[in-house]
Amino acid sequence: MSMNRTGTVRRAAVIGSGVMGAGIAAHLANAGMRVLLLDVVPQALLPEEEKRGLTLASPQVRSRLAQAAVARMAKAQPAPLYEPSFAGRITAGNLEDHLAGLSEVDWIVEAVVERLDVKRSLFERVESVWRPGTIVSSNTSGLSVAEMVEGRSDAFRQHFAVTHFFNPPRYMKLVEVVPTSDTAPEVTALLTALCEERLGKGVVVAKDTPNFIANRIGTYGMLVTLEEGLRFGLTVEEADTLTGPAMGRPKTATFRMLDLVGLDTLLHVVDNVREKSTDAAERETFARPPLLEQLVASGRLGEKSGGGFYRKIKGPKGGSEIESLDLESLAYRPRSSVKGPIIDAAKAAKGTGGKVRALIGTDPKHKYAQFAWQTIKRTLLYSAALVGVIADSITDIDKAMKWGFSWELGPFELWDALGLEKSVARMKAEGDAVPEWVLTWIAEGNGSFYKVLEGKRFVYAGGGGGYAAEELSPDEISLAALKEAGRTVLRTSDASLIDLGDDVVCLEFHSQNNAIGGEILTAIRRTAEEVSKNWRGLVIANDGRNFCVGANLLLLLMEAQNGEWDEVEDIIRMFQSSMLSIKKLDRPVVAAPHRMTLGGGVEACLPADQIIFSPETYFGLVETGVGLIPAGGGSKEAAVMAAARAGGGDIQPHLNALFETVAMAKTSTSGFDVGRIGLKRPQDRVIMRQDARIAEAKRAVLELDRAGYTPQPEARVRVAGREGKAVLRMGVHSLLLGGQISKHDALIGNKLAHVMAGGDAAPGAEVSEQYLLDLECEAFLSLCGERKTQDRMSHMLSTGKPLRN
């Protein structure tokens, strides 16, 4: 097998069908591979198997574990598959009857129990049928890579490494590739390319040390947080409030994360580092915390046992309530909220660096500030001490923590944000031992680990080599770096037009939550004029957490509550005309959405000539959830799609399906799933690697341009008309009679039916797109005037959840 082509890996096998094994098998299937999933043969029959007259020799019993894992994939949440049909790419078997099947695959992934003896024994069996040249990897989270394959042949060891996926494999970006001194360099390169290009992962190459990179530092950070929290007398809630989003970390923060991981699992990781460490200070830090031992001994393991640092109970009114652990008495009590000037300052600050500086600097003598400083300081120093030990570069350490633990900034990026020289001076003043390489780096006149010059990010290179340009894949385009290099063509407060090179520009949203408001609409109109005059084409994409969560709902609600109907209509007309300017542009337009792409975000994509979906794209016209209908061209585009799919035939079936999608506010569960809800067009496609979406969209623009692009003709739209509307409204009425929707839902549905069917036009009539936009606007305005719609809008803004009234 060629070691430089990821496309040669078409068939894979996963050994172990537990949570991780099944998740990895599902994601390999997501990537289009044929997967053989194997597990051990059960030693006893289940009661239902006995009732069916099966025996231990029955094939369905012998492969029961893997078969059950595949069956669970369709119902599991979060879903491991991009599309349920992908389960058909997985064949379930067992390690006795189907072991020989390993000789027919291109990649074998082991994901069995974390015991060295079990893994060694398994690899001995694997090698008995191993086809020379096949790559083999283990999903261990921290066992010695070299020790797992002791006794195996030289050829086997040369084709072996660790590929440590994080759970759940579909959603977590990080894969740590860990070679040994025996692993052939081309095998490491192929595994890296496979995980990045085929699986869409972010890869860091780690050294064969206990718990590798992310778990090593992440576990240390949790232990430090526990230790410092007890020292400063903080509650569980206080520690989590300070070590969550306020510190650029996930909402799960520390103690909630420990509950999710499992306290017994954490102790296992702690033991693994301590037992293999030769550093006395590290061994002391990784001593088993008595509090954790006490909780584990009492059966409080976290979420899997029903309680750890938090637990969920039934409240007096039947609903669920969350209690937290009192760290002194170890009794549970009602969870409390944490407030104060420091918390408020962190929430108000912009960016992770600003938030952390607010935590530490707002009131430096407060216990919150002291706790935050101590936990951050110790984690930074520990990370610095491990450079060259767990990874060769600080960028790999930063990436591992961002991708594996969802930190907004890695340790060295955070150190820069705090101010490297200032923070090191404070550390030295407090008697901390700062790694010599950090002191030397500062003494050489360097004030940060990273710096940006002419659009490129440079990073500490180590070994007296100064800064080196950070390597980016040719498939990655950094909008931030391009803006830093002065490649911004035009800008409003909420959007920028950025030169991507090759006469292609990218329209980037950067408002709060990337919600579409007046500034973005202005930018769209200005962009259309600019691109038409001076550029080959346009990409619509951004680097935000989500592509776009919709329109600025607060602005619409305020205008509606004030009865400013002319203002509301102006907003809608501006929204419609802006989206129409994209559709009518005489240059190719390609949209590249990712993650949440809702309401107005969808309406910003549908006018494009092509949409390139990231695999994790949650795409849907969700306006009915706030009592409205899509009115930025979304309802019109649904009618256009129904007509296109009907060709010259019956529109009604296609209209019915799209009406259901919009009326029920259906959202895709992945980029691949957009087709299920009917919003994917023939020219649209999905790419596996989210990081490549902007580069791929740029390539698509250039390809359309090279092919001799001609703008979309302003065609008339054939509609179902009043008879089609009657069919849609009959369906709405049936749902109302069945108690499945409320009267207000029915009102919304009837107005949507009027728009999507083309109003009172004759069946089969051809209407202009502007006619449909006028219907959209009229329906939207009338719904804005409804009190129940305003209640829905208000509820969504205050809770983030839809109200069914």
Side-chain angles (χ1 to χ4, degrees):
M1 181 176 62
S2 169
M3 283 295 166
N4 59 9
R5 292 186 58 215
T6 63
T8 59
V9 181
R10 301 183 182 93
R11 298 162 299 175
V14 177
I15 304 173
S17 64
V19 172
M20 284 304 298
I24 293 168
H27 199 59
L28 297 182
N30 284 336
M33 296 183 194
R34 292 288 171 180
V35 184
L36 176 63
L37 179 61
L38 303 180
D39 212 319
V40 297
V41 173
Q43 299 300 304
L45 290 172
L46 297 175
E48 54 266 33
E49 291 171 337
E50 290 181 345
K51 288 179 182 178
R52 292 168 56 195
L54 300 175
T55 70
L56 289 176
S58 301
Q60 55 266 60
V61 174
R62 294 177 67 80
S63 299
R64 178 218 302 154
L65 297 178
Q67 288 173 348
V70 175
R72 284 193 297 270
M73 290 177 187
K75 299 178 181 178
Q77 291 297 328
L81 294 165
Y82 287 143
E83 192 177 285
S85 66
F86 290 176
R89 298 170 179 170
I90 305 173
T91 300
N94 66 73
L95 280 167
E96 293 183 15
D97 303 329
H98 307 104
L99 186 68
L102 299 180
S103 65
E104 300 173 1
V105 303
D106 308 309
W107 181 13
I108 300 168
V109 182
E110 170 271 312
V112 301
V113 64
E114 285 284 82
R115 280 179 46 187
L116 191 59
D117 59 333
V118 173
K119 292 181 185 289
R120 279 177 169 169
S121 175
L122 176 61
F123 288 130
E124 182 178 6
R125 294 183 65 191
V126 170
E127 188 170 15
S128 70
V129 296
W130 178 68
R131 186 181 78 236
T134 301
I135 51 176
V136 183
S137 67
S138 170
N139 186 57
T140 182
S141 60
L143 294 179
S144 167
V145 187
E147 288 179 13
M148 282 190 285
V149 286
E150 283 182 357
R152 305 279 53 80
S153 68
D154 289 347
F156 190 92
R157 295 199 310 275
Q158 288 166 7
H159 289 81
F160 179 81
V162 157
T163 47
H164 177 213
F165 290 80
F166 276 61
N167 190 37
R170 167 184 161 180
Y171 298 92
M172 294 301 293
K173 184 173 182 177
L174 179 63
V175 172
E176 294 174 316
V177 170
V178 192
T180 70
S181 58
D182 294 323
T183 308
E186 59 266 27
V187 170
T188 304
L190 178 59
L191 283 171
T192 298
L194 270 173
C195 292
E196 288 180 343
E197 297 169 17
R198 294 284 298 282
L199 304 184
K201 297 299 176 187
V203 174
V204 296
V205 177
K207 293 181 179 291
D208 187 6
T209 56
N211 300 107
F212 311 134
I213 301 175
N215 281 342
R216 179 83 167 262
I217 294 175
T219 300
Y220 178 86
M222 290 178 181
L223 292 175
V224 165
T225 299
L226 177 59
E227 181 184 332
E228 296 293 346
L230 290 171
R231 181 160 78 95
F232 285 101
L234 299 188
T235 65
V236 167
E237 297 96 319
E238 287 176 322
D240 272 358
T241 299
L242 293 166
T243 60
M247 204 175 277
R249 312 278 172 81
K251 291 181 180 179
T252 46
T254 300
F255 292 108
R256 176 69 181 127
M257 175 69 80
L258 283 171
D259 279 354
L260 291 171
V261 169
L263 307 193
D264 55 335
T265 302
L266 180 72
L267 287 180
H268 172 74
V269 174
V270 166
D271 291 343
N272 192 44
V273 175
R274 186 184 65 256
E275 291 166 4
K276 296 186 178 181
S277 176
T278 57
D279 182 84
E282 184 176 59
R283 288 177 61 86
E284 182 179 347
T285 299
F286 279 85
R288 285 181 154 223
L291 175 60
L292 290 185
E293 287 191 307
Q294 207 171 341
L295 291 173
V296 170
S298 67
R300 288 183 276 187
L301 310 180
E303 191 170 88
K304 61 186 174 184
S305 69
F309 288 102
Y310 295 96
R311 72 174 182 181
K312 185 183 291 187
I313 62 168
K314 280 191 176 181
K317 297 182 180 179
S320 60
E321 295 181 358
I322 303 294
E323 293 186 327
S324 62
L325 189 73
D326 185 298
L327 296 179
E328 291 187 1
S329 68
L330 299 190
Y332 289 101
R333 53 174 176 71
R335 183 174 60 173
S336 60
S337 61
V338 180
K339 300 177 181 179
I342 290 177
I343 305 300
D344 292 341
K347 287 181 178 178
K350 291 188 176 181
T352 298
K355 291 180 183 301
V356 175
R357 290 192 295 271
L359 280 183
I360 295 171
T362 299
D363 185 357
K365 293 184 179 181
H366 194 282
K367 66 177 182 178
Y368 288 175
Q370 291 291 320
F371 164 81
W373 166 247
Q374 291 297 328
T375 55
I376 290 172
K377 175 183 74 172
R378 292 178 64 182
T379 302
L380 297 182
L381 290 172
Y382 184 69
S383 300
L386 292 177
V387 173
V389 177
I390 59 176
D392 285 328
S393 72
I394 67 170
T395 52
D396 275 350
I397 293 175
D398 279 346
K399 288 174 181 177
M401 299 317 299
K402 290 190 290 184
W403 296 342
F405 277 75
S406 299
W407 291 10
E408 292 288 338
L409 296 176
F412 299 97
E413 292 172 326
L414 180 57
W415 211 333
D416 278 357
L418 288 174
L420 177 59
E421 295 175 273
K422 181 181 178 182
S423 58
V424 166
R426 180 175 176 181
M427 292 170 184
K428 290 169 66 178
E430 293 174 355
D432 295 299
V434 180
E436 192 61 36
W437 72 264
V438 176
L439 298 176
T440 300
W441 178 246
I442 294 173
E444 291 172 350
N446 301 298
S448 64
F449 294 113
Y450 294 90
K451 66 179 180 179
V452 176
L453 291 173
E454 297 181 351
K456 290 185 179 180
R457 192 161 83 146
F458 290 78
V459 60
Y460 162 79
Y467 288 99
E470 187 175 14
E471 292 185 13
L472 283 179
S473 161
D475 284 337
E476 292 184 45
I477 291 177
S478 170
L479 297 180
L482 291 174
K483 287 192 289 186
E484 189 77 25
R487 300 274 285 275
T488 301
V489 178
L490 61 84
R491 176 186 171 89
T492 69
S493 61
D494 291 345
S496 297
L497 189 65
I498 304 159
D499 179 3
L500 300 180
D502 299 312
D503 292 328
V504 178
V505 282
C506 177
L507 178 61
E508 175 202 38
F509 303 160
H510 44 70
S511 61
Q512 185 174 357
N513 294 320
N514 284 346
I516 297 176
E519 290 296 311
I520 287 180
L521 295 177
T522 297
I524 289 173
R525 287 175 148 185
R526 290 175 60 191
T527 291
E529 294 172 3
E530 170 68 21
V531 172
S532 179
K533 292 177 182 177
N534 301 313
W535 304 88
R536 292 171 69 181
L538 171 68
V539 169
I540 303 175
N542 62 69
D543 285 331
R545 182 181 294 273
N546 298 298
F547 177 78
C548 177
V549 298
N552 186 333
L553 196 60
L554 178 60
L555 175 63
L556 284 168
L557 177 61
M558 290 172 58
E559 299 289 7
Q561 287 178 332
N562 292 332
E564 299 289 349
W565 303 117
D566 288 344
E567 292 293 330
V568 175
E569 182 171 359
D570 286 346
I571 293 170
I572 298 307
R573 293 293 186 188
M574 186 177 181
F575 204 127
Q576 292 178 339
S577 63
S578 298
M579 300 310 162
L580 210 54
S581 70
I582 297 174
K583 188 166 187 175
K584 291 181 176 181
L585 189 61
D586 57 357
R587 298 287 187 268
V589 181
V590 177
H594 66 284
R595 293 185 59 82
M596 288 176 64
T597 304
L598 306 174
V602 173
E603 291 175 310
C605 292
L606 291 178
D609 297 288
Q610 187 179 16
I611 303 173
I612 294 178
F613 295 102
S614 162
E616 298 298 343
T617 306
Y618 318 123
F619 197 80
L621 292 163
V622 296
E623 285 85 348
T624 59
V626 290
L628 299 167
I629 69 162
S635 300
K636 179 260 296 180
E637 286 296 326
V640 170
M641 282 191 276
R645 288 168 190 170
D650 186 6
I651 298 174
Q652 198 68 51
H654 305 283
L655 183 64
N656 291 349
L658 283 162
F659 175 77
E660 182 178 323
T661 286
V662 181
M664 303 300 288
K666 290 183 179 181
T667 303
S668 72
T669 58
S670 72
F672 291 94
D673 189 52
V674 178
R676 176 186 62 84
I677 64 171
L679 296 179
K680 184 171 179 285
R681 306 164 307 181
Q683 69 269 35
D684 301 333
R685 56 192 172 92
V686 187
I687 60 166
M688 281 296 292
R689 192 177 181 199
Q690 178 169 304
D691 290 345
R693 68 188 183 281
I694 298 175
E696 186 63 23
K698 176 186 170 182
R699 277 193 288 269
V701 165
L702 292 172
E703 185 56 39
L704 287 168
D705 180 64
R706 278 193 292 267
Y709 178 78
T710 55
Q712 301 178 45
E714 192 170 340
R716 295 180 71 79
V717 184
R718 193 163 65 92
V719 295
R722 51 183 173 269
E723 291 184 6
K725 175 173 68 173
V727 173
L728 298 180
R729 286 185 167 180
M730 189 180 301
V732 172
H733 187 63
S734 296
L735 292 174
L736 180 62
L737 289 178
Q740 295 172 265
I741 61 174
S742 69
K743 287 184 178 179
H744 194 55
D745 290 325
L747 174 67
I748 300 163
N750 285 332
K751 288 187 178 293
L752 179 64
H754 181 72
V755 176
M756 288 183 62
D760 292 322
E766 292 186 350
V767 301
S768 67
E769 291 193 31
Q770 187 58 54
Y771 169 82
L772 292 171
L773 289 173
D774 290 341
L775 294 179
E776 273 189 357
C777 186
E778 179 186 355
F780 189 93
L781 285 168
S782 66
L783 286 169
C784 277
E786 295 284 340
R787 178 55 188 267
K788 288 188 175 181
T789 283
Q790 293 178 17
D791 289 344
R792 288 191 181 193
M793 295 165 74
S794 179
H795 189 269
M796 176 61 74
L797 287 167
S798 61
T799 69
K801 297 178 181 179
L803 171 68
R804 290 299 177 196
N805 53 1

